[in-house]
Amino acid sequence: MQLLVGGRRPCRYSACVSIPTEHPSITIDGNTYDLTHLKAFSASIPGKGISAETDLLVEVVFSNHVYTERTKHGEQHHAFDHHGTKRTFDGDRYEMSKGLGAAIRLQIESNGLTYVSKSYGGVDNLVFVEMEDSCTWAVVYCLQPLDDGCSVRMEVLSAHPKVIHQKTISRRNLSYFARMCLFKETRVPNA
């Protein structure tokens, strides 16, 4: 599996909260969907820490965008995201999300390739690509420095099917962006 990673819009609304470390089950039309697979976890990029021969710790959290889509006008919503926007459960995203933690762990531990992509709203995000049942998924995230000065938080902002022209994309290893986040002590990429 390959993965794409991206970023987060600055919070402009009073209803904004941080991305949670756990997601409670969600019940839609009498069916309950377990979300324990989206519990936050940590993984390390070997040998890329702040000091020579140390690992760079990456804390991973998931937005509810990995199992919901923006609610269309007049449709029922099932949740609010960390920006206060209404979201509707999406079965395809939910199914893909079941393997997302393992795919991201693999990307981190193998120092996988990622790239910067601009969202429709003009915000830069990091992206990696995952193949699932012959469908290409863009996994969008950003990196935030943690207060300990030697680790980062990967905020997985979204995952959605996307046609990607991979030959035209310039990629760098995840550690490049993670170390930039650490040393500049700022969100990467900048919003």
Side-chain angles (χ1 to χ4, degrees):
M1 284 189 178
Q2 291 181 328
L3 221 40
L4 296 181
V5 186
R8 168 180 77 158
R9 209 173 4 173
C11 190
R12 297 179 210 142
Y13 310 100
S14 60
C16 293
V17 296
S18 66
I19 295 174
T21 58
E22 295 183 46
H23 296 266
S25 296
I26 188 168
T27 302
I28 310 297
D29 299 327
N31 297 312
T32 300
Y33 297 91
D34 179 51
L35 297 170
T36 56
H37 61 279
L38 296 174
K39 184 175 181 176
F41 68 90
S42 296
S44 297
I45 304 172
K48 297 297 182 179
I50 202 108
S51 305
E53 299 183 28
T54 62
D55 297 344
L56 196 158
L57 184 68
V58 180
E59 220 177 74
V60 181
V61 296
F62 299 91
S63 159
N64 67 5
H65 289 211
V66 302
Y67 61 90
T68 64
E69 64 181 353
R70 182 184 285 263
T71 301
K72 294 175 181 73
H73 181 71
E75 288 189 4
Q76 179 183 12
H77 71 279
H78 303 116
F80 289 94
D81 69 7
H82 53 285
H83 297 296
T85 303
K86 293 177 182 177
R87 305 289 297 181
T88 300
F89 181 78
D90 182 303
D92 290 337
R93 288 187 192 201
Y94 171 75
E95 287 301 319
M96 187 279 309
S97 77
K98 291 178 182 178
L100 189 55
I104 289 173
R105 182 180 299 279
L106 178 63
Q107 284 293 322
I108 293 168
E109 292 174 351
S110 66
N111 195 16
L113 295 175
T114 190
Y115 67 94
V116 177
S117 176
K118 193 171 290 288
S119 73
Y120 290 114
V123 177
D124 286 341
N125 295 308
L126 293 171
V127 177
F128 63 90
V129 179
E130 171 160 336
M131 302 302 290
E132 178 79 21
D133 297 330
S134 74
C135 184
T136 303
W137 290 81
V139 179
V140 180
Y141 71 99
C142 71
L143 299 167
Q144 301 276 1
L146 292 177
D147 291 338
D148 64 7
C150 60
S151 55
V152 297
R153 175 178 164 114
M154 175 186 279
E155 296 180 346
V156 180
L157 303 169
S158 184
H160 52 273
K162 183 174 183 175
V163 174
I164 298 166
H165 304 288
Q166 296 194 40
K167 290 182 180 181
T168 62
I169 297 171
S170 174
R171 295 183 173 100
R172 291 187 180 261
N173 292 92
L174 176 58
S175 62
Y176 171 84
F177 296 106
R179 289 173 61 85
M180 181 186 304
C181 176
L182 275 178
F183 291 116
K184 290 187 175 184
E185 297 179 354
T186 188
R187 178 194 187 275
V188 171
N190 290 331

